Amino acid sequence: GSARVPPPHQSELAARPSAAKPLLAAAAAPMALLTLRFSTSMSAAATERYMELRDAHVKPHFLMRQVEYAVAEMLPDSTRMQAHYFDNAGELFELRDDTVKQALGHVQMPPTGGPTLNILLAACSADTIRGLRAKLCQEMELRSKFQEEAHSKSTEVALFHDIISGLRAELREEQRASQYLVDFLRQDLSLKEAALDQARADLDRAAKTLELEHSAQARDPNMSAKVLRSEPEMAGVEVGCSDDPAACSDVSSEFRAELERLGCQQAFRVGRAKVEANQDPFPIVYAVTVENQGQTSWPPTSMLVHESGDSLGLPLVELMPVAPGGCANIALELLVPKKSEVGSSISTWVMRDVATGRPLGPILIFDAEWVESPVLEG
């Protein structure tokens, strides 16, 4: 197996063709030559050999003999050789007796010269083979060790992945909990801000009311009024309506807190009426006599202003200026409304100087009571 192959006889060689011809035409020509271009992976040098293209098709072993000659020439110290051919796409395939015809299917036609088959030679000696085997064993041992380490690392990586996945799940849960807490705090803050705004608004209204009350309580001592009497002039004539003339009296002792709150001096009930439930609205008119007990005339901006309860259709009454010691007759034209349920209500009016808000003295009070309708016998 290690005997050197003798070089081919000179008669087997022929001159290189001077021009390239199509492959089919070259195969048909009786003396068409095939160029075998040999190269090795160990050297940049190359060599060429020639044979008839027809012989290459008919006698593949002739081509393999040329390969042996090339190995003997280019790799004289080799004990084992291997040849590969290039296909049209530049891929390498092993060249053997049984693959020569496939290789001839990839013969190239260069712009100059005849049909060419590019062959790559690889060969090595016994020492080289032993070295390669030792190196291969070493590489396999290293690969086995590397695989074990890789398996160990993959186990650690899997464990780390599990830990990271658990941490990510915990982080997502904490993020959801944090987001829920943030949303809750934002909502609570919005509610508290709304409550604070409402409290501020209530405080502003209370301050204005207190300011008005303080202004109202700062009554001018030179202006004073007192109710002397109240008499009904007209009452509803409908069935189920009645007026109580005896209820017209001074009730300051009953409304002491209201007098203090409004800065007034007198509370006078101008009348009281009882109405059957579901009774249609009915009018009542009271003539109220008020005396100016102050030291100056009432100003032209003096009015009787509704203060609390149902206004009964009387929001305010304009008062004429009255000199000290004089009296004014005020007509209270009230309309008692219809109600479907029994109950009672209290309506109040205050005499004020609307320009300053100061009271002149009295509070006028009217009581209304809704009672059940009597059952008719028979």
Side-chain angles (χ1 to χ4, degrees):
S2 60
R4 179 171 302 180
V5 180
H9 194 269
Q10 296 295 329
S11 61
E12 297 181 9
L13 302 178
R16 182 190 302 268
S18 58
K21 299 179 181 179
L23 182 59
L24 293 179
M31 293 298 293
L33 293 181
L34 171 64
T35 301
L36 303 178
R37 180 174 291 120
F38 296 96
S39 60
T40 68
S41 59
M42 302 176 61
S43 174
T47 186
E48 294 180 354
R49 288 183 172 273
Y50 309 96
M51 66 179 298
E52 292 185 8
L53 184 58
R54 181 176 299 175
D55 289 344
H57 281 279
V58 177
K59 303 174 183 179
H61 63 280
F62 279 12
L63 189 146
M64 295 305 298
R65 185 171 178 81
Q66 295 295 331
V67 173
E68 294 174 357
Y69 292 160
V71 170
E73 178 182 346
M74 300 182 71
L75 302 171
D77 297 329
S78 65
T79 58
R80 183 180 178 184
M81 75 92 182
Q82 190 175 26
H84 293 81
Y85 68 90
F86 290 90
D87 67 355
N88 294 330
E91 298 291 337
L92 281 175
F93 295 90
E94 187 174 359
L95 181 63
R96 304 187 304 271
D97 290 341
D98 58 343
T99 62
V100 170
K101 291 187 177 181
Q102 290 89 333
L104 294 175
H106 296 283
V107 170
Q108 299 180 5
M109 294 296 295
T112 61
T116 302
L117 180 63
N118 294 311
I119 301 174
L120 177 66
L121 301 177
C124 57
S125 63
D127 293 338
T128 304
I129 292 175
R130 284 193 295 270
L132 291 175
R133 285 178 178 175
K135 186 176 181 181
L136 179 60
C137 292
Q138 184 180 4
E139 289 181 355
M140 291 179 64
E141 184 179 353
L142 292 175
R143 179 176 296 181
S144 177
K145 184 177 180 181
F146 174 77
Q147 289 177 348
E148 292 178 359
E149 293 180 354
H151 178 71
S152 176
K153 295 296 183 181
S154 63
T155 303
E156 294 180 2
V157 169
L159 179 60
F160 288 150
H161 278 308
D162 293 340
I163 295 174
I164 292 174
S165 298
L167 292 175
R168 286 177 177 173
E170 293 179 2
L171 180 59
R172 287 193 295 269
E173 188 64 28
E174 290 181 358
Q175 287 177 341
R176 284 194 292 268
S178 300
Q179 187 62 41
Y180 174 80
L181 180 60
V182 170
D183 294 340
F184 174 78
L185 293 176
R186 284 177 177 172
Q187 184 178 7
D188 184 63
L189 180 61
S190 299
L191 293 176
K192 288 183 178 179
E193 288 179 347
L196 181 60
D197 293 341
Q198 183 65 36
R200 287 173 177 170
D202 294 342
L203 183 61
D204 291 341
R205 285 194 294 269
K208 291 180 181 179
T209 302
L210 184 61
E211 182 180 357
L212 180 61
E213 290 178 356
H214 286 169
S215 176
Q217 290 177 2
R219 186 172 59 84
D220 189 349
N222 294 323
M223 290 190 296
S224 178
K226 183 178 181 180
V227 179
L228 300 180
R229 56 186 174 275
S230 173
E231 299 176 350
E233 290 188 349
M234 182 184 73
V237 295
E238 293 84 353
V239 176
C241 303
S242 63
D243 179 54
D244 184 6
C248 302
S249 60
D250 191 305
V251 289
S252 298
S253 60
E254 298 179 24
F255 293 87
R256 211 175 283 278
E258 193 71 5
L259 290 173
E260 184 178 353
R261 183 181 73 83
L262 297 175
C264 297
Q265 295 177 321
Q266 181 192 26
F268 194 93
R269 181 182 288 115
V270 297
R272 173 187 292 152
K274 289 186 178 182
V275 188
E276 293 180 6
N278 293 316
Q279 178 65 39
D280 292 335
F282 72 96
I284 297 180
V285 180
Y286 290 96
V288 181
T289 303
V290 183
E291 180 184 10
N292 184 353
Q293 295 184 344
Q295 300 178 4
T296 183
S297 298
W298 297 342
T301 53
S302 299
M303 291 187 181
L304 181 66
V305 182
H306 173 253
E307 177 64 29
S308 64
D310 194 329
S311 68
L312 304 178
L314 187 69
L316 57 86
V317 178
E318 295 184 6
L319 304 177
M320 298 297 294
V322 177
C327 293
N329 293 321
I330 306 173
L332 299 183
E333 300 178 356
L334 308 178
L335 183 64
V336 181
K338 173 183 177 180
K339 290 193 176 181
S340 60
E341 298 179 356
V342 297
S344 62
S345 70
I346 298 176
S347 300
T348 62
W349 293 262
V350 177
M351 292 181 62
R352 292 184 183 278
D353 178 5
V354 295
T356 61
R358 294 175 178 175
L360 299 182
I363 303 174
L364 277 62
I365 301 170
F366 175 77
D367 294 348
E369 183 179 1
W370 287 264
V371 298
E372 294 183 354
S373 302
V375 180
L376 300 177
E377 298 181 358

